[in-house]
Each structure stands twice: as structure tokens, then as C-alpha cells.
Amino acid sequence: MSGEGLSVSFRRTQYTAKSNNELLEEFQKIIYNSRVMKHMKWYGKAHTLDILEHGDDNRQKFEQEYVAIKDTFQFEISVYESWYEDADLYESHEIEDSFVSLARKFANDNALMYFPNGFPAEWIEQEIIDGEKNWNHYNVKPDDKNIDKICDVWYRYGIMKLQAFDEKVESQLWGEARDKIKQLMEHEYAK
């Protein structure tokens, strides 16, 4: 039986008191005593729920990019293909004891930023200039001078999107966040 990996993304704040290892052990206890275990693969207590941290050099380059921003980390689980039978148990913020809901509550309890959409990375936009299609590629650099402000905007966008439950509102929220992030990115390069 094959499967896939799922993850939840966090960033430490100035108020985060526990080490990443302490946070990992606490979140493992929460998940190991939850319904989330239903479709999870067991690799032993230490590795069934694992951590990917900023600066991990024992991981593939593409994995390191997931946590390229300073103070970021992800908790990862491996699940069997059968997880699709209970997808809401892993992906829905509307279910109180889902993987993502437990992660969000955990973040609140531990002064962490929780990113329901992962970390700001890149996007492509189409623009029509003189009747011709042009594509603009935006890439948030992890060492951007304004990365803290960009993460704040992305964090607020992700949390507000969870509360929107309407595609039109979600689209509006994305437009506002995208424009603010572009402005922050442009501000650095305008000097």
C-alpha cells in the first residue's frame, strides 16, 4: 500500500518559548492520541510524526526550500492512500480534531504563526499590455529584507481565508495579500 505525505507549516515568533524539539514532542503526543492516526503509517514514536526545520541540511534541496525562511518548520506525517476516505480528518479546518485544526490550535497555544497554505513562495500573473499577453513571475526570496512583513501579510491572509468560506471573498483576500506582498517586495528593489 502506497500513500503520501502531509504537512503543517509554522513560524516561531518572539513569544515562542519552547524549542523545536519540545514542540515536536508535544505535537506528537497530541496526534498519537487522536483520530488522525487512523490512516497514518507507523515508523516508531520518533519518526511517525517528524519535523522539517529551517537549516536542515540532511534533507533534499527541494525539501529545504519548504522551510527556507528563518524560524520556519513543518510537522510531517505519512499516510496510506486510504486517507482519502476521511480527507476531512486531515484537511478540514471545520472538523475540530482534524490534523490541520489540531495544528492551528497547537500554534495558538504555543505562540506560533500557523500557515494553512504553507509559506509564501511564488506565483505567476497574466497581464495584457497593448493587447498582448505578458506573464509576470513573482518569487518571494527567503532572505528578502521585508520577509518578516511578508510573512505577517501571508499569515493574516491564511487565517482570514479560513474564515471566509466564500470564493469571492477568498479571491478578494488573495488580491489584497498579493498586492501588499508585491509592494513589500518592490519596496526593497526600488531603492
Side-chain angles (χ1 to χ4, degrees):
M1 239 182 151
S2 62
E4 63 183 85
L6 303 174
S7 64
V8 285
S9 304
F10 305 94
R11 187 173 193 212
R12 299 178 64 83
T13 69
Q14 63 182 357
Y15 305 106
T16 307
K18 297 173 185 166
S19 71
N20 285 0
N21 281 337
E22 290 170 321
L23 293 167
L24 173 63
E25 289 175 11
E26 184 178 328
F27 196 61
Q28 284 173 330
K29 288 177 189 172
I30 292 167
I31 296 301
Y32 295 167
N33 291 302
S34 75
R35 293 188 315 136
V36 174
M37 290 295 297
K38 183 175 180 181
H39 299 280
M40 282 177 55
K41 296 179 179 180
W42 184 256
Y43 298 113
K45 184 180 175 189
H47 300 290
T48 297
L49 187 149
D50 212 349
I51 189 169
L52 173 61
E53 299 175 274
H54 172 76
D56 271 354
D57 55 6
N58 62 337
R59 295 289 194 108
Q60 298 288 331
K61 183 170 174 36
F62 76 91
E63 291 176 302
Q64 293 174 25
E65 291 174 3
Y66 297 152
V67 290
I69 299 169
K70 184 177 179 283
D71 294 327
T72 59
F73 64 95
Q74 292 181 330
F75 289 140
E76 307 168 314
I77 60 173
S78 292
V79 291
Y80 293 105
E81 284 181 5
S82 61
W83 80 272
Y84 288 108
E85 298 167 11
D86 295 304
D88 285 347
L89 183 57
Y90 298 91
E91 296 181 328
S92 175
H93 286 90
E94 295 178 37
I95 295 179
E96 188 175 314
D97 61 346
S98 71
F99 182 53
V100 292
S101 292
L102 292 171
R104 184 175 178 195
K105 181 181 182 326
F106 177 79
N108 289 337
D109 292 346
N110 287 283
L112 296 166
M113 296 174 88
Y114 168 65
F115 294 90
N117 302 312
F119 299 109
E122 62 184 299
W123 68 93
I124 296 174
E125 291 180 12
Q126 180 182 344
E127 182 179 32
I128 307 291
I129 300 174
D130 297 329
E132 204 172 302
K133 289 183 185 179
N134 293 288
W135 298 95
N136 298 320
H137 182 230
Y138 297 93
N139 189 2
V140 176
K141 305 285 186 212
D143 60 351
D144 190 296
K145 182 172 92 174
N146 292 316
I147 196 64
D148 291 337
K149 292 176 184 175
I150 291 169
C151 284
D152 286 342
V153 170
W154 190 251
Y155 168 74
R156 286 194 305 278
Y157 160 68
I159 298 303
M160 290 189 325
K161 182 181 173 192
L162 291 178
Q163 299 163 354
F165 299 111
D166 177 85
E167 285 184 31
K168 186 176 180 181
V169 174
E170 285 180 19
S171 178
Q172 179 183 352
L173 290 170
W174 166 239
E176 292 168 4
R178 179 194 63 220
D179 291 347
K180 182 66 178 167
I181 291 171
K182 287 193 308 192
Q183 182 183 42
L184 288 166
M185 291 167 57
E186 290 170 356
H187 185 271
E188 176 185 350
Y189 302 117
K191 291 185 175 184

